[in-house]
Amino acid sequence: MDKQVRMEIRRANGTRAVTKPVQKVIGPEYSMSFVCFECKTSNMRQYDVTPCDYPNSSVCPVCGNTTINLGRNFKPPKKSDLAQWKKVKFLVDNGFVFQKIRVERNSIESIPYPETLSEAKEFVVRYRKWAIKRAI
């Protein structure tokens, strides 16, 4: 006798309470990285709206300054890595908010982001047409 049959017998005898199926709560689809350049922190936040309706900026929970939404593809550098933070700030100031850049139409291949500030300067010139201009 398998488990399902035993449970049905118990339910029929009243020794096993009938439980309602648990409904899964569907929450926000994505967590987005919000970055504060003042205190060099990154916080993941979720909102109950579609990802395209997430705010571009918010308030930093650490220092109270403005944080910028860099999307779900952003991986923050260590707080002590000032060179990487300068690179990230430079890219954001030039409209690159760590979105995926696909040079070919309908391609799944995306361009990797630069590793250093000097590479970032070349990157900004080469991929300028993919920069996102948005009000913060």
Side-chain angles (χ1 to χ4, degrees), residues 44-125:
M44 298 298 281
R45 298 195 187 150
Q46 296 179 335
Y47 294 91
D48 286 328
V49 295
T50 58
C52 62
D53 293 330
Y54 275 36
N56 290 337
S57 62
S58 185
V59 177
C60 178
V62 177
C63 68
N65 287 316
T66 302
T67 60
I68 300 170
N69 181 354
L70 295 187
R72 61 191 187 124
N73 297 317
F74 178 71
K75 304 291 184 264
K78 289 184 178 180
K79 196 179 246 191
S80 60
D81 195 350
L82 299 180
Q84 288 299 314
W85 280 104
K86 283 182 184 178
K87 176 198 75 174
V88 170
K89 176 83 168 122
F90 176 78
L91 288 169
V92 170
D93 288 345
N94 285 283
F96 293 94
V97 289
F98 292 84
Q99 76 279 14
K100 291 195 177 194
I101 297 174
R102 294 191 170 102
V103 178
E104 296 178 20
R105 194 175 224 20
N106 298 326
S107 172
I108 61 169
E109 297 295 321
S110 60
I111 303 298
Y113 272 74
E115 297 291 324
T116 63
L117 184 58
S118 60
E119 289 175 7
K121 291 176 182 177
E122 295 171 15
F123 180 87
V124 166
V125 171

